[in-house]
Amino acid sequence: MAILTTHDMAVGYGQGNKRTILLSDLNLSLEQGTLVALLGKNGAGKSTLLRALTCDSQPINGSVEIDGKPSYEISKRDLSRLIALVATERIMGGAFTIRELVALGRQPHTGFLGRLSRHDDEVVRQSLEAVGIAHKAEQHVAQLSDGERQKAMIAKALAQETPIIVLDEPTAFLDVASRIETMKLLHSLAREQNKAVLLSSHDISQSLLLADELWVITQDREVVTGSTEQVVMSGAMDRVFDNSSILFNNDLCDYESKLPTTASVMLECDNSKLEHCVANALLRNGIDTSHGGDVMVKVLSVNDFELPDGKVATSVKELVKLLRDMAIK
């Protein structure tokens, strides 16, 4: 059963009669135990959609239903027990300890004075352990790396004990290792704690690797949804950008530049990694290897190439010069 659904929803911005619709006819569903990645170019409407789903703003048309109830009938207090939001902004509050920051997630469950019970303390402890930073609980937020701060914010969301966690660009300020670690963490939380996790992201490769479902906003503002495999096979990833020089590579599960080429050759190589590296090097120099050619290049190493008529090259630079001298097409 879906924990969150939308019915013929349209989202956008503006007031009164001056409203701009970004996305329309949205019939989305989010289930517990599932990690969903929302993908699209800048300005496509990802953050606008997330604000409507978390009831931070009202949809222009249609409605949102959460846990079987229309969102407009849910009080703010009850909503905070259903949805936890991790925003994209850098985390401030450096004077807080990590434990104090995560404990703020218990606010929907505590009284007016915000006093923590033994149960609250236990939830905070478990949340810290779940994201792997329990050993830093007494350190101040200012002492953490960006990756650790993001883990602390996810722990705060866990401490809310909501069935839904929504994250807006959770890996935006992280290095490669921290991005991968954060995505793996969200994947495991959906599985192990039965959370419905929805995140917007520009990290295409990790999203396609770890997300159960994709919501992809295309250049013509259609939202294509389904399992990751269904969406990729549908060709929706090719419709995200309106730039013909940016292509989706199904093998890499990511986007790449389409560089202009003036010649084409074939590569013979026993090592797929080596072949890929040499192919990239030739492509940078305007030589394509993906569509065959009249000339066969035998790749022995990154500095050892054999060409027809006994010609050899001992570097990619020398190989490119030889191929150009041969006036290949």
Side-chain angles (χ1 to χ4, degrees), residues 219-234:
Q219 57 183 300
D220 51 359
R221 300 197 182 280
E222 178 188 0
V223 181
V224 181
T225 66
S227 72
T228 298
E229 295 71 31
Q230 288 173 330
V231 173
V232 170
M233 293 304 295
S234 75

Side-chain angles (χ1 to χ4, degrees), residues 51 73 80 89 114 236 272 300 321:
R51 284 195 294 272
E73 294 182 4
S80 67
E89 291 82 9
S272 59
L300 302 176
K321 184 178 184 305

Side-chain angles (χ1 to χ4, degrees), residues 22 75 80 92 106 124 129 146 152 168 183 190 206 209 213 224 230 233 245 273 275 277 306 326-327:
L22 293 178
S75 68
S80 67
M92 299 300 155
R106 295 302 298 162
V124 170
E129 286 188 352
D146 284 340
D168 192 0
M183 290 294 291
Q206 288 302 306
L209 176 64
E213 296 182 12
V224 181
Q230 288 173 330
M233 293 304 295
S245 65
K273 182 178 180 181
E275 181 178 358
C277 290
E306 292 182 359
M326 297 169 66

